[in-house]
Amino acid sequence: MGFLVIDQLTMTYGQVTALDDVSLTVKEGEFITLLGPSGSGKTTLLMSIAGFNRPTAGEIVFDGRQITGLEPEDRDFGLVFQGYALFPHLSVADNVAFPLRVRKWDKARIRARVAEMLDLVGLAHLAGRKPRQLSGGQQQRVALARALAFGPRVLLLDEPLSALDRMLRETMQQELRRLHRETGVTFLYVTHDQQEALTLSDRIAVFNKGRIVECDTAQRLFRAPKTRFVAEFLGENNFVTGTRQGGRWTGLGTGFVLPPDRDLPEDRSAATLWLRPGDIALGPAGAGEIGFQAVVEDVIFAGTSSGLHLRLPTGEPLVASVAAEISAAEITGKTLAFHARPGAVGVIPEGA
Amino acid sequence: MSSRFERYALLLTLPAGIMVLALYALPILQVLSLSLTEGKGAWANYSQLFTSRAVAKVVGTTLNVSLLTTAITLVVAYVIAFGMIHMTARSRRIALLMVSIPFWISVLVRAFAWITILRSQGVLNGALMGLGVISQPLELVYNRLGVTIGMVHYMVPFAVLLLYANLTDIDRRIVQAARSLGARPLTVFLKVWLPLSAPGLGVAALFVLVFSLGFLVTPALLGGGKTLMIAEYISVQISTTRRWDLATALSTALLIVVGLLIALALRSPTMRAAFGGGRR
């Protein structure tokens, strides 16, 4: 039995199915991210766990106890919102003390705990400020301190960093990792930002259209996605049609062999092949590599690298990411040789 | 960096501005000047406000009825507005319609309707006596009770709309946050809803109080001449007893009190924010 078990949860609003038979088992102390495009059901699931949504069917079991019908205030889960949702009329310290006063802790204990939590998020010097006098990053730290103050065993986070600018977001990601490590609390994190999911999570549950498409570690989802949706949603990717005859593939180049652990079952002969832009290199193929010719249609400078927009002889488009020193004027419009390692090519059976 | 249009946009408000000045500000200034020159002069006119027992009684009644009306109106309107923001969109539309229906009915008609309901042979007393609940008709109208009932009825829709606007603006995630932190419904109401609706309550209270202090039609009809409030008293002084000195002095005094009340309220930062003065 898992620590937090979501069992066949379904939620419909009228005609709309927000969650469609979703099951997920969360381990204690895990950092798990619910990732997906907007409207994919990830926030609906988080709010169902928090107790604000009543699922149409299925159940939620926490630590062996049925909590599906429990009110939010009886669940003892911390919750952090995208817009922080701090109490604007209370000071930072009073915001953090709120869950403790509700639980009728005695004054000395509350004071000590508030100081401890503000230390944890590095805001002890701002205890007397009102939320509107703080920056976005500071407000989010207060929200974290408040949600963790009463010692919840699960922290639910609903796109907590999406309102911050990029630099601050990266700092806060470090902060979240540290808080997770130091508190040992189980984190359930909702985001639509795949980079954030890859950076933060032990495991990622990828959502699409109210279902969990795949759930695995970041590395496995990135290197060996089982579905086209995950291959496309996590990181940049190229897709080309491939066919297999006598164990040899045609699609990207011709007559190449894929490693056995990548390859399709014996009885199939067509698949979508994927290859990440960073795994394509300029120049002819060496021994055991896949070589192919492509026309360079455009070169997009992106700082440390350049994106080459290629077109294969089959008409399929392809993007390659190469070192930025390349001269756009010299190669645009030319047909050049490219190569890739067979181990970098992934296979998605037709229909997945 | 204003565009040509923005610079001249002020002109669009000119006709309304001229009208307010000619039909509103000038007559008020005339009242002010009359209060200083009429009868035995300014000192006599204003000092009688503090010496006349009739004025003292009228002011006492006005304050009493206005404060009571404000208190009852706020409680009733808050309950309705709070209910409305928690309704489904469909019920809310119906509720908003119901709240605005009184605006379409003349204040006179409403006052007479209340008399029909409340007088001794009226609908309510008739029903209660018919049911045998009471043997003597209750005195529900032509007294403070009747005036207060009529005024609360008039004020509630305004207060509901003011409070509804304020309550709609409250970020519901703050309420969700309170619940996720373990707060039960009563705590959520007392520690979150109530403090966050303080600006709305302040604006509604000010509006109802100021309106009540100068209210004429409803107190005149439902008070039946026995419960006399300032506006009706002034009107009697002008049209019946021809005491222009007293009437203009009392009018000016009321205007000053209301002005001070608003100025005082605007000193509070929450009220300034509610009036859109910006909070920075």
Side-chain angles (χ1 to χ4, degrees):
Chain A
M1 204 69 200
F3 177 61
L4 176 62
V5 180
I6 288 104
D7 190 20
Q8 301 187 325
L9 219 60
T10 293
M11 176 141 191
T12 51
Y13 303 95
Q15 299 291 312
V16 185
T17 304
L19 287 178
D20 186 4
D21 196 24
V22 168
S23 295
L24 180 67
T25 301
V26 182
K27 296 192 269 291
E28 181 157 21
E30 199 173 17
F31 196 132
I32 187 157
T33 297
L34 314 181
L35 174 71
S38 62
S40 60
K42 55 196 194 307
T43 297
T44 309
L45 177 60
L46 195 82
M47 285 311 198
S48 303
I49 297 170
F52 291 106
N53 287 342
R54 286 273 167 277
T56 320
E59 51 190 44
I60 303 171
V61 179
F62 173 61
D63 209 14
R65 203 161 63 105
Q66 251 279 10
I67 59 162
T68 321
L70 223 55
E71 294 296 328
E73 55 266 34
D74 296 323
R75 297 198 179 194
D76 283 339
F77 292 162
L79 180 56
V80 176
F81 295 85
Q82 182 178 356
Y84 325 129
L86 297 175
F87 304 122
H89 57 296
L90 297 180
S91 70
V92 166
D94 287 335
N95 263 283
V96 178
F98 187 93
L100 313 178
R101 296 213 171 102
V102 165
R103 285 171 176 77
K104 304 205 162 38
W105 287 22
D106 67 60
K107 282 203 172 113
R109 196 167 159 227
I110 291 179
R111 207 174 316 123
R113 182 69 175 173
V114 169
E116 184 194 337
M117 293 315 295
L118 289 180
D119 261 348
L120 183 69
V121 296
L123 287 180
H125 57 298
L126 299 175
R129 295 271 184 91
K130 287 283 173 63
R132 65 169 179 276
Q133 297 169 302
L134 304 182
S135 70
Q138 289 169 335
Q139 290 190 44
Q140 195 52 278
R141 281 168 214 256
V142 177
L144 284 164
R146 183 180 69 173
L148 287 167
F150 60 96
R153 294 166 70 194
V154 175
L155 184 67
L156 309 170
L157 304 106
D158 184 16
E159 310 226 6
L161 307 185
S162 58
L164 305 175
D165 62 52
R166 197 175 57 85
M167 292 290 279
L168 198 53
R169 214 153 53 216
E170 277 166 22
T171 319
M172 284 303 292
Q173 285 176 12
Q174 302 298 321
E175 190 83 10
L176 282 171
R177 283 172 66 93
R178 182 181 65 83
L179 281 175
H180 178 246
R181 214 168 39 236
E182 286 179 14
T183 58
V185 173
T186 307
F187 277 35
L188 250 88
Y189 190 94
V190 163
T191 184
H192 65 266
D193 182 333
Q194 42 100 8
Q195 200 55 51
E196 210 166 273
L198 292 174
T199 310
L200 291 171
S201 342
D202 296 326
R203 279 197 303 155
I204 303 174
V206 183
F207 278 72
N208 190 31
K209 296 181 181 155
R211 289 173 163 272
I212 293 181
V213 185
E214 283 185 58
C215 179
D216 212 330
T217 63
Q219 285 88 344
R220 273 210 286 274
L221 285 183
F222 189 79
R223 296 206 181 115
K226 294 188 177 67
T227 56
R228 163 116 191 199
F229 183 80
V230 173
E232 203 162 8
F233 197 72
L234 275 185
E236 307 241 301
N237 221 338
N238 294 300
F239 297 93
V240 294
T241 317
T243 49
R244 185 176 63 176
Q245 248 178 358
R248 290 185 172 271
W249 283 93
T250 306
L252 206 54
T254 43
F256 58 90
V257 178
L258 289 179
D261 61 322
R262 288 259 160 177
D263 214 342
L264 272 186
E266 296 279 336
D267 55 327
R268 309 289 288 269
S269 60
T272 301
L273 304 178
W274 58 260
L275 178 61
R276 300 210 180 261
D279 290 326
I280 301 174
L282 250 174
E289 286 177 332
I290 304 168
F292 59 92
Q293 302 274 317
V295 184
V296 180
E297 293 193 326
D298 202 0
V299 180
I300 313 275
F301 178 65
T304 50
S305 64
S306 284
L308 307 190
H309 288 229
L310 312 176
R311 195 157 299 271
L312 291 170
T314 56
E316 288 166 307
L318 208 61
V319 177
S321 174
V322 300
E325 296 93 75
I326 201 141
S327 154
E330 257 173 52
I331 62 166
T332 305
K334 290 191 178 146
T335 302
L336 298 175
F338 293 88
H339 65 274
R341 289 176 303 105
V345 175
V347 173
I348 297 162
E350 289 300 320
Chain B
M1 294 287 283
S2 55
S3 73
R4 250 178 102 80
F5 178 72
E6 277 164 351
R7 256 177 291 152
Y8 294 112
L10 196 66
L11 287 177
L12 292 177
T13 66
L14 209 60
I18 290 171
M19 219 160 89
V20 166
L21 240 99
L23 302 178
Y24 198 74
L26 287 179
I28 284 177
L29 284 175
Q30 204 183 357
V31 166
L32 180 66
S33 83
L34 280 176
S35 77
L36 300 174
T37 56
E38 226 11 63
K40 299 193 204 80
W43 175 253
N45 289 351
Y46 280 94
S47 60
Q48 65 181 335
L49 295 181
F50 298 94
T51 53
S52 157
R53 297 188 60 175
V55 170
K57 187 162 174 251
V58 165
V59 168
T61 307
T62 306
L63 278 179
N64 187 307
V65 171
S66 297
L67 288 172
L68 195 63
T69 300
T70 307
I72 298 173
T73 301
L74 284 192
V75 173
V76 172
Y78 197 93
V79 171
I80 296 173
F82 195 72
M84 274 167 57
I85 59 161
H86 287 94
M87 287 175 183
T88 60
R90 197 185 135 77
S91 331
R92 188 160 49 227
R93 270 198 302 278
I94 296 168
L96 268 172
L97 185 73
M98 305 279 262
V99 168
S100 39
I101 282 176
F103 291 123
W104 311 341
I105 304 167
S106 145
V107 61
L108 271 171
V109 173
R110 279 195 268 168
F112 283 121
W114 274 116
I115 292 174
T116 316
I117 294 169
L118 298 175
R119 71 198 160 98
S120 30
Q121 296 85 35
V123 179
L124 192 58
N125 273 317
L128 288 176
M129 295 218 293
L131 288 170
V133 182
I134 49 169
S135 52
Q136 291 286 313
L138 299 171
E139 288 185 34
L140 298 172
V141 73
Y142 304 133
N143 53 20
R144 278 188 194 181
L145 178 65
V147 173
T148 311
I149 291 174
M151 281 174 59
V152 166
H153 180 242
Y154 185 84
M155 298 298 176
V156 162
F158 289 103
V160 167
L161 292 185
L162 286 170
L163 288 170
Y164 174 75
N166 167 254
L167 288 174
T168 320
D169 276 352
I170 292 174
D171 184 352
R172 295 294 276 274
R173 281 179 304 187
I174 295 175
V175 178
Q176 289 190 332
R179 292 188 69 189
S180 77
L181 294 168
R184 316 219 158 259
L186 185 65
T187 315
V188 173
F189 182 77
L190 293 176
K191 303 284 181 184
V192 180
W193 280 112
L194 218 47
L196 291 181
S197 41
L201 280 168
V203 171
L206 187 67
F207 181 90
V208 175
L209 185 63
V210 165
F211 216 139
S212 300
L213 287 174
F215 212 19
L216 174 65
V217 178
T218 302
L221 291 174
L222 293 173
K226 275 173 264 173
T227 300
L228 211 54
M229 285 177 59
I230 289 180
E232 190 190 356
Y233 186 75
I234 292 171
S235 132
V236 169
Q237 301 310 316
I238 291 176
S239 49
T240 315
T241 58
R242 308 275 168 193
R243 291 280 309 278
W244 282 81
D245 54 327
L246 184 58
T248 51
L250 193 53
S251 301
T252 310
L254 180 61
L255 190 67
I256 290 170
V257 167
V258 166
L260 283 177
L261 215 60
I262 293 172
L264 208 69
L266 286 184
R267 288 180 70 88
S268 133
T270 45
M271 288 285 273
R272 267 209 305 277
F275 273 110
R279 203 198 299 205
R280 250 308 86 176

